[in-house]
Amino acid sequence: PGILAFLADTLLLLSFQTPLKKTNTLIAQMGITFENAYVPSALCCPSRASILTGKYPHNHHVVNNTLEGNCSSKLWQKIQEPYTFPALLKAMCGYQTFFAGKYLNEYGAEDAGGVGHVPPGWSFWYALEKNSKYYNYTLSVNGKARRHGENYSVDYLTDVLANMSLDFLEYKSNFEPFFMMIATPAPHSPWTPAPQYTKSFQNVSAPRNSNFNIHGKNKHWLIRQAKTPMSNSSIQFLDDAYRKRWQTLLSVDDLIEKLVKKLEVNGELDNTYIFYTSDNGFHTGQFSLPIDKRQLYEFDIKVPLLVRGPGIKPNQTNKMLVANIDLGPTILDIAGYDLNKTQMDGMSLLPLLRGDKNVTWRSDFLVEYQGEGYNGSDPTCPGLGPGVTHCFPDCVCEDAYNNTYACVRTLSASWDLQYCEFDDREVFVEVYNLTADPHQINNIAKTIDQEILEKMNYRLMMLQSCSGATCRTPGVFDPGYRFDPRLMFSNHGLRARRFSAQFL
């Protein structure tokens, strides 16, 4: 079968239904919507590396969006790229493969081979140099640089990606199965909509949930430092951003419609699996954080995941806990590859897509993030001292070098729970019961049963050192879980140091 994967950039779950009406009709209503799809790291480069490798960040070692953080570095190219799922699809399953759009944030960096580097596994390669743009960008066209300017009709990146993808479907070989990955910059900043959509959604503003513009009390210090209530200028800034993000998605919706129609005209639609997802979520004013991601809360780690294809019944929803590390194994499984030959941490979704009964599935997964920060202070906010970064309006900083945490996110018949530990001097702990508190306002770390805390701490250590099959062992609330309290570390400091060493 053919396989087509659409990857949005920084699209939070809440926001996709309204602007993506055609996508909803053509993919969600014709297939399955996963209601509990997550990313193990809410930042572009680590998350994209997890999609490509099927691995948690501690196994692919991409920790942030910089070359030093292993984002598209020479080390990544040497150690991880040859084993990504597209490399296996092309080499082992005979697929012709096509990539168009944003690959990894530092792709094309001079220190890592420039745009001449074409990763193994791609027959056709149209990758954006560095991070998201809509105009005035460079594409690597099979390793050759092609500059684009700012003329809407020939340069608007979402439309350029649509045209390249349509060309591939027109001229590809009909003797080999195909895999396409189209990674649009939208709705990432700078949120430049196509000219015909600049007047859309004039009355839309960011959602005002119960965690909007409140103080993040009982949370990690980085959340507590946000100014509450936000200034009018901050609120206007995030509402504008939210509206523009929706406007950029209208072009993505057009792109998806064109490609689905093309597959239909070609007579290939019924034999093609189509995936739609995002690399992370996004926040707009929750806990008074103006705009960004990289935090541990639902609005940053939860993403849409829609799939249609052969054998998938229409109009389904699935509540199983799935993660972006499952995409690689799923696509290889569709192509008939033996997953036992991979080192992937994820699980194939194919049994869920087919509606198989009696599937044993995970009840938890790992979220992990290593904070970015510099020794110097942020020039826009010198009063905050060293170590903080991404300081947006009113000096609210979205990241810091010790914004380093790991969480177990668990979803079972009995619990909908998140347990997180920070690798900082406090070894700060956050725990949320999402059944009672879906917007994660109340940190119950000090009141929850001690035995649950100990089990979660132990499970977190297990997941942080897992690899391959050991990442799929039973979680705390599975009947098959075994817990030996003697295995607990009594010294928390030791555990925190082990966490950071393992990342480096």
Side-chain angles (χ1 to χ4, degrees):
I3 308 166
L4 174 52
F6 294 107
L7 178 61
D9 195 346
T10 321
L11 173 64
L12 86 155
L13 183 69
L14 280 172
S15 78
F16 86 94
Q17 276 105 345
T18 309
L20 293 172
K21 285 196 164 50
K22 301 168 187 172
T23 303
N24 221 19
T25 305
L26 294 169
I27 307 181
Q29 288 173 23
M30 298 305 291
I32 190 164
T33 299
F34 286 93
E35 294 183 347
N36 293 299
Y38 289 87
V39 297
S41 196
L43 191 62
C44 301
C45 208
S47 182
R48 285 159 186 267
S50 285
I51 291 171
L52 290 162
T53 60
K55 295 177 183 177
Y56 281 122
H58 69 262
N59 289 329
H60 61 58
H61 305 293
V62 177
V63 296
N64 60 37
N65 285 345
T66 65
L67 274 179
E68 299 71 37
N70 204 23
C71 180
S72 209
S73 68
K74 288 231 164 114
L75 191 69
W76 154 265
Q77 293 171 13
K78 184 175 154 195
I79 295 176
Q80 301 297 340
E81 271 186 350
Y83 305 102
T84 59
F85 79 84
L88 297 174
L89 268 186
K90 184 165 184 269
M92 303 296 175
C93 308
Y95 269 66
Q96 52 190 323
T97 55
F98 170 93
F99 182 88
K102 174 175 161 179
Y103 178 59
L104 299 173
N105 299 53
E106 285 294 327
Y107 171 74
E110 283 307 311
D111 294 351
V115 294
H117 170 70
V118 177
W122 299 103
S123 327
F124 300 90
W125 178 251
Y126 302 96
L128 178 66
E129 179 191 32
K130 304 234 174 141
N131 205 358
S132 290
K133 286 183 173 177
Y134 296 79
Y135 294 111
N136 297 313
Y137 53 86
T138 297
L139 288 179
S140 170
V141 178
N142 299 318
K144 301 265 189 300
R146 182 188 291 169
R147 288 276 312 143
H148 277 264
E150 49 194 328
N151 175 349
Y152 170 70
S153 59
V154 292
D155 296 319
Y156 188 66
L157 184 53
T158 309
D159 295 354
V160 169
L161 300 179
N163 293 335
M164 288 170 162
S165 304
L166 290 167
D167 281 351
F168 171 74
L169 286 176
E170 180 69 31
Y171 298 113
K172 69 180 173 54
S173 156
N174 289 328
F175 302 106
E176 298 169 310
F178 70 90
F179 169 69
M180 302 176 74
M181 188 170 195
I182 300 158
T184 60
H188 196 284
S189 61
W191 320 301
T192 314
Q196 69 271 30
Y197 294 135
T198 53
K199 297 282 188 288
S200 304
F201 307 122
Q202 286 301 306
N203 301 321
V204 165
S205 52
R208 301 313 202 240
N209 290 333
S210 54
N211 55 7
F212 180 82
N213 199 13
I214 63 167
H215 186 255
K217 61 181 192 304
N218 303 323
K219 291 187 166 31
H220 185 229
W221 70 268
L222 188 66
I223 310 299
R224 296 196 304 264
Q225 56 89 34
K227 296 176 175 62
T228 310
M230 292 184 284
S231 66
N232 289 344
S233 59
S234 271
I235 292 175
Q236 192 178 344
F237 176 78
L238 66 88
D239 280 340
D240 282 348
Y242 194 84
R243 190 176 313 111
K244 286 180 188 154
R245 286 163 60 78
W246 272 26
Q247 291 168 353
T248 67
L249 285 171
L250 292 171
S251 296
V252 176
D253 211 30
D254 294 341
L255 173 152
I256 289 171
E257 180 187 43
K258 285 175 193 162
L259 285 170
V260 172
K261 285 196 163 157
K262 180 71 178 166
L263 287 168
E264 194 168 25
V265 168
N266 287 1
E268 297 179 296
L269 184 58
D270 291 343
N271 194 35
T272 301
Y273 286 89
I274 304 178
F275 293 78
Y276 181 84
T277 190
S278 172
D279 57 358
N280 45 255
F282 198 66
H283 54 253
T284 44
Q286 293 92 335
F287 307 124
S288 303
L289 299 169
I291 55 156
D292 200 44
K293 55 262 181 175
R294 70 184 94 217
Q295 309 305 343
L296 54 87
Y297 307 104
E298 293 284 283
F299 42 76
D300 283 2
I301 62 172
K302 200 169 187 177
V303 292
L305 176 58
L306 318 173
V307 194
R308 68 170 282 176
I312 301 177
K313 295 191 178 77
N315 262 322
Q316 291 186 79
T317 55
N318 184 298
K319 290 186 160 31
M320 295 293 198
L321 194 57
V322 301
N324 70 3
I325 53 173
D326 301 334
L327 294 170
T330 304
I331 289 167
L332 289 171
D333 200 9
I334 288 169
Y337 188 73
D338 178 0
L339 296 177
N340 293 323
K341 293 181 179 168
T342 74
Q343 300 294 307
M344 293 182 174
D345 303 333
M347 304 164 70
S348 170
L349 302 174
L350 200 50
L352 302 183
L353 297 176
R354 288 188 184 136
D356 293 1
K357 300 285 179 272
N358 304 325
V359 179
T360 43
W361 200 255
R362 69 163 71 85
S363 66
D364 65 14
F365 76 99
L366 175 68
V367 181
E368 50 190 351
Y369 179 64
Q370 183 169 337
E372 275 184 80
Y374 311 101
N375 290 335
S377 55
D378 190 298
T380 52
C381 307
L384 292 171
V388 293
T389 180
H390 295 83
C391 299
F392 282 116
D394 303 318
C395 288
V396 177
C397 299
E398 298 280 0
D399 208 359
Y401 66 90
N402 68 351
N403 179 38
T404 296
Y405 57 80
C407 308
V408 180
R409 178 74 180 86
T410 183
L411 188 60
S412 67
S414 49
W415 280 97
D416 186 354
L417 189 76
Q418 187 174 16
Y419 170 90
C420 301
E421 285 182 21
F422 279 83
D423 182 15
D424 59 10
R425 280 198 200 107
E426 298 178 276
V427 192
F428 196 78
V429 176
E430 293 187 28
V431 183
Y432 298 99
N433 172 2
L434 283 100
T435 309
D437 178 24
H439 293 129
Q440 296 170 296
I441 293 166
N442 302 309
N443 176 8
I444 56 169
K446 290 192 165 64
T447 55
I448 195 169
D449 180 29
Q450 188 63 28
E451 189 189 354
I452 290 182
L453 278 184
E454 286 180 4
K455 282 183 174 176
M456 286 308 222
N457 171 277
Y458 177 59
R459 179 65 180 152
L460 183 61
M461 291 189 314
M462 296 280 295
L463 284 172
Q464 282 183 274
S465 54
C466 78
S467 177
T470 56
C471 297
R472 305 189 286 272
T473 53
V476 168
F477 299 111
D478 286 353
Y481 179 76
R482 297 282 172 267
F483 172 62
D484 180 352
R486 289 170 304 186
L487 297 173
M488 294 295 302
F489 283 86
S490 55
N491 179 345
H492 265 283
L494 191 147
R495 142 129 245 323
R497 278 197 294 280
R498 181 171 150 270
F499 176 35
S500 47
Q502 175 182 312
F503 258 103
L504 299 171

